[in-house]
Amino acid sequence: MSAAATVAKRFPDVVFRHPLLAALDARARAELESAGEVRALRAGESLFRAGDPADALFVVTSGEIALRSGARTAELRRARAGDAVGEESVARAHATRRHDASAATDAEIALLPSALLRRVMARGESSDAGARTRRWLLRALASDALERSAFSGDLPAREREIMLDAGRAIELRRGDVLHREGDPSSEAYFLAEGIVRVAGGGGVLAYHKAGDFFGDEAIEDEVRDATATATSEAWIFAVRAEVVREVAARHPDALGRALRVQTAARARQREIRENATRHVLDDLHRFETSRSLLAIDQERCIRCGACAWSCGATHDDGVSRLLRRGDVVVAKVSGRAKTLLLPSSCQHCKNPACMIDCPTGAITRDARGEVQIREELCTGCGSCAKACPWDNIQMAPRGRRLPLVTASDAVAVKCDLCHDRNGAEAACVAACPAEAIERIDPSVALDEVAAVLERRPRAEAGKRAFPISAIVGGAAAAGAGAALSGTALSRSASGVLLLMLILGLFSYAGVKRLGVRVRGRAARVFVVRPHFVVHLGLGAASFGVAIAHAGGTSALAVAFWACAILGALAGTLGKLVPPRLARIERKALLPEEIAEQLALLDARVFRDLTGRSDLLKGLYARVLRPFSSSPFVLASICARGTSQRALRDRLGERIRGLVGEADERLAGLDGLVASTAERQALRAQRLLDALLRGASFAHVVLAAALAVLVAIHVFVEVTR
């Protein structure tokens, strides 16, 4: 949104002479004037850009507004006094801008909030005037879709008028089918909003986005050769095939140009899909609408839970806005494949469904696009939690009673990007010792998604580099030098140095626990990563200094060496285990959920075996069940990080070697093989997770014992 100056509150008469608004009654006009505003724009100033949230309609009151679309440099049209721009905001609640709009001259525009405008228009839709307004709006949107198309964008206006008269609007929800393979080819399509996936022949053929012309087989073929499905809410203008055929016959160059554009786009997408990784393109809608998606690099994440803990600790109610479970995708970021967990956390959508469904206006979006919940206006109705497609809003106990609303005992909570931290990093990001978690705009950060949506990929943001190998290696060398120095260090000097190193090691725990905001007090958060690297370096150096100070078998020495060895083990496991876990996990589960999943798998196997042939049951008893509980297979999976797919293929080959040709008595075998592979993968996931957590927990326990023994030792030495 432009930062144009607000010059008036009262709308000029020209605003309500516009066909979209002329039928509104006095009450509706007063409501719009109260909520809207008149703004002044300087020549060249931007009003909105393609991709911005479409949350307002603009009527030009003076001057001229120029509209351009995508990479086309020529103007689509100029809006003058009395004309409207941004009609897409009225048609749909989740629309985005598809044009760039800027002031061609000094201009003034009236801003009308689209949510309110849709409500006041709905009150009058039953009247003849309201019906005429609706028809005008649909025609304006259809005209916009035709103007943006590679086929009809450069056609004479009269040709577009012919197609407008021969078309109809189609609105689809996510998952709705536009047409199926084998259906009659009776229409061609101009996509105005949303994403449509076209699949046939056992695979995806193309993803169509706003501005695309598709369904061109209707010009020549009698039946569809593929199935088209909306992967998001979509608005489509469909034109009868015979009319498109006639227009194409009069303008063959236009059709040829559109087909070349479509063929080139499909070729690019085919190359992207062939090289794309695990189902990253299956949820384009989510990646397109998300403005700030929380992503955890599973190959770096040590599963310590610091992100979720810090989120809860930084909010007054103690409720974490982050749950470390969700979808796992493999996507390329700056050319490198990463396994990413998309945990349950608000992604600050460009067009938030929760904001549309909030009855009190408690959910707002600021100028930066951050979506926030105003607790003083939240009634706890839960509409936002139900509306969120990704279950990223929770209902939590209300901490205090508020006078402005009649509220329930619950209040809606979600990630607020730690907006009260005065520009500091979000608590979850700052608290991660492995730098595995970050906020991204997936439409530009994920290479395959950016390519399909034809966005410019954004290079991965450079982070502060902490060369862990150099730091730990240098510290270890320094410690080794101290150990080999012999009498160069006196016992007291080495003791003081070792005490300082131990205190430095203990300070890491303080950074982790006290670096987050004390509830009710905003403060800058400590970034844990550099302290973690320093902690490893101090630990490496302390080995040699401890040798120089004393060997011995005292309780203090035993506690120190045990603690140091466990710390080194935990650090090594933190490096080796996450990449293996990332390959094994099909979806992220909390440790306490794995036992439940194993029980569900056992129940599924029992169900799949019930009523089956003796051959299948015998094969399961002799081959599959021993495989699912074999400790040697479990060890192999943990050591290699074998994926479930590879495990299924390996087990399937073994079964085929035993049974040979397919037999009807083996019906259901594939399901049993999949369940067996998943069971061993879950056991491996549980074991590796236990190793990560167990080593760290034992290290912390021994560190606590070491702290007590060090205090006693220092007291004895000082008082001696």
Side-chain angles (χ1 to χ4, degrees), residues 20 57 86-92 114 117-118 121 134 137:
L20 186 61
L57 173 76
E87 295 92 337
E88 67 274 3
S89 66
V90 188
R92 296 181 59 245
S114 54
L117 183 55
R118 282 193 300 271
M121 288 177 62
R134 182 65 180 172
L137 176 62

Side-chain angles (χ1 to χ4, degrees), residues 1-5 39-50 52 58 65-66 68 97 99-105 109:
M1 186 74 66
S2 166
R39 293 182 175 180
L41 298 173
R42 297 182 299 274
E45 188 174 355
S46 174
L47 180 59
F48 55 75
R49 297 188 180 277
D52 287 349
F58 302 99
I65 301 294
R68 294 180 174 83
R97 303 294 184 193
H99 301 306
D100 292 339
S102 59
T105 65
I109 50 95

Side-chain angles (χ1 to χ4, degrees), residues 67-420:
L67 278 81
R68 294 180 174 83
S69 179
R72 297 171 63 180
T73 56
E75 288 183 7
L76 289 175
R77 64 184 176 95
R78 281 202 179 191
R80 297 177 172 83
D83 294 338
V85 293
E87 295 92 337
E88 67 274 3
S89 66
V90 188
R92 296 181 59 245
H94 306 290
T96 54
R97 303 294 184 193
R98 293 304 173 185
H99 301 306
D100 292 339
S102 59
T105 65
D106 288 348
E108 288 187 359
I109 50 95
L111 180 153
L112 296 86
S114 54
L116 176 60
L117 183 55
R118 282 193 300 271
R119 285 200 294 269
V120 299
M121 288 177 62
R123 294 202 299 257
E125 279 192 353
S126 58
S127 66
D128 291 341
R132 286 196 302 272
T133 299
R134 182 65 180 172
R135 287 195 299 271
W136 182 93
L137 176 62
L138 293 177
R139 190 175 182 89
L141 292 173
S143 177
D144 178 75
L146 294 177
E147 286 178 351
R148 284 187 284 142
S149 166
F151 169 50
S152 55
D154 294 327
L155 291 178
R158 59 183 177 83
E159 298 286 20
R160 289 199 296 271
E161 288 293 327
I162 291 172
M163 288 192 286
L164 282 172
D165 292 335
R168 66 187 181 102
I170 300 175
E171 295 188 60
L172 300 178
R173 292 170 304 194
R174 187 181 184 190
D176 286 351
V177 175
L178 177 62
H179 62 71
R180 299 185 183 277
E181 186 175 356
D183 287 350
S185 295
S186 58
E187 295 174 317
Y189 305 108
F190 298 85
L191 183 56
E193 280 284 343
I195 298 175
V196 172
R197 181 181 65 239
V198 179
V204 176
L205 301 177
Y207 291 95
H208 292 294
K209 60 190 183 308
D212 284 358
F213 165 68
F214 67 104
D216 51 275
E217 64 270 18
I219 300 175
E220 297 181 358
D221 302 331
E222 294 184 357
V223 296
R224 302 288 183 191
D225 58 1
T227 298
T229 307
T231 63
S232 66
E233 290 186 346
W235 198 97
I236 299 166
F237 188 63
V239 181
R240 295 199 307 272
E242 62 270 19
V243 174
V244 177
R245 197 178 299 123
E246 293 170 1
V247 173
R250 291 192 291 271
H251 303 276
D253 291 345
L255 179 62
R257 180 172 59 251
L259 294 182
R260 286 194 298 273
V261 170
Q262 185 183 105
T263 301
R266 287 195 173 193
R268 288 195 303 271
Q269 290 187 16
R270 181 169 58 252
E271 181 180 358
I272 294 166
R273 291 194 303 274
E274 288 173 353
N275 296 318
T277 42
R278 193 191 320 167
H279 78 273
V280 68
L281 298 180
D282 287 354
D283 203 357
L284 273 179
H285 168 59
R286 180 178 190 177
F287 296 140
E288 183 191 37
T289 193
S290 172
R291 192 192 66 84
S292 179
L293 181 68
L294 194 66
I296 300 177
D297 186 345
Q298 291 294 84
E299 296 184 18
R300 301 188 68 170
C301 174
I302 59 175
R303 279 70 171 175
C304 63
C307 51
W309 173 85
S310 64
C311 182
T314 199
H315 289 95
D316 294 334
D317 54 16
V319 176
S320 176
R321 276 65 168 159
L322 185 163
L323 298 178
R324 211 195 67 80
R325 66 162 72 92
D327 296 329
V328 175
V329 300
V330 179
K332 290 179 181 175
V333 179
S334 299
R336 186 170 70 87
K338 289 186 176 184
T339 303
L340 302 176
L341 165 65
L342 311 180
S344 178
S345 178
C346 178
Q347 56 199 40
H348 297 265
C349 298
K350 296 166 185 172
N351 293 284
C354 58
M355 188 168 73
I356 299 299
D357 283 2
C358 179
T360 65
I363 302 181
T364 61
R365 183 177 55 220
D366 64 20
R368 293 173 297 181
E370 296 179 5
V371 180
Q372 307 292 351
I373 297 177
R374 298 171 60 189
E375 184 178 345
E376 66 270 18
L377 295 180
C378 177
T379 63
C381 67
S383 295
C384 54
K386 296 173 185 175
C388 178
W390 298 283
D391 299 325
N392 288 338
I393 298 180
Q394 310 171 59
M395 303 307 296
R398 188 181 295 273
R400 54 196 172 96
R401 286 290 174 186
L402 301 166
L404 297 183
V405 295
T406 303
S408 71
D409 292 332
V411 65
V413 297
K414 66 171 196 64
C415 171
D416 57 5
L417 292 178
C418 295
H419 68 283
D420 60 349

